[in-house]
Amino acid sequence: MTAVIWTDVVQMFLYVLGAAVSFAVLLHQIPGGWHHVVAVAAPLGKLRVFDFGFQPTAAFFARRYSFWAGLVGGCFLTTASHGTEQLMVQRLLAARNERESRLALFASWAVIFVQFGLFLLIGVTLFVLRSTGTWPLRRMRTLFIRNSYGTPCLRVWQDW
């Protein structure tokens, strides 16, 4: 069990490190860096975290992103993933008692919160890079990897 846990730790470290490096590379490629990202994204609502508006109208249900949609969808997603995903079940079964099991779940939540925040920031910076550049939207990820990291990384990406 220890080998599995340490493998998960190494994988998560590499996962988050890769995301952090990508975010840094993106910021470096955007003229003006983070200040320009905020100047472009904030007026368009891309940095708005929560939308608490609630009106039982057709327009409300047509919106793609709101706090309420995230809450309802998150409940179903969490129920599905925490009850059936091997990683979560392993985390709960490896704990010595119920207290450690709860601690593992809360620690998982904290790590996932930071991870998703980082990925959302990468999305915002890609949006700003796209709005200031000439990269076609359909090939943006591929072009970003090729131009930033080189062809060997692109070959690895395309093999997945």
Side-chain angles (χ1 to χ4, degrees), residues 17-141:
L17 179 67
V21 168
S22 294
F23 181 65
V25 169
L26 278 167
L27 280 180
H28 182 71
Q29 290 186 0
I30 296 173
W34 179 248
H35 295 294
H36 183 69
V37 170
V38 172
V40 171
L44 297 173
K46 299 294 182 185
L47 298 177
R48 187 172 165 192
V49 178
F50 295 114
D51 177 9
F52 289 107
F54 181 79
Q55 298 170 341
T57 63
F60 170 75
F61 291 105
R63 281 191 307 192
R64 293 177 68 183
Y65 307 108
S66 72
F67 174 80
W68 307 110
L71 183 66
V72 172
C75 287
F76 286 106
L77 181 63
T78 301
T79 301
S81 69
H82 284 55
T84 59
E85 185 181 1
Q86 179 266 338
L87 182 62
M88 282 297 170
V89 173
Q90 169 188 303
R91 208 174 276 154
L92 296 175
L93 293 177
R96 288 183 215 128
N97 53 41
E98 187 177 342
R99 182 181 177 279
E100 283 188 5
S101 181
R102 285 184 184 150
L103 184 62
L105 283 176
F106 284 121
S108 171
W109 176 85
V111 169
I112 289 171
F113 183 79
V114 171
Q115 170 194 340
F116 271 75
L118 181 59
F119 289 158
L120 290 172
L121 286 175
I122 289 171
V124 170
T125 53
L126 280 171
F127 171 80
V128 171
L129 184 65
R130 169 68 172 95
S131 68
T132 59
T134 58
W135 291 358
L137 188 58
R138 287 179 48 101
R139 298 193 55 220
M140 184 162 187
R141 178 181 50 203

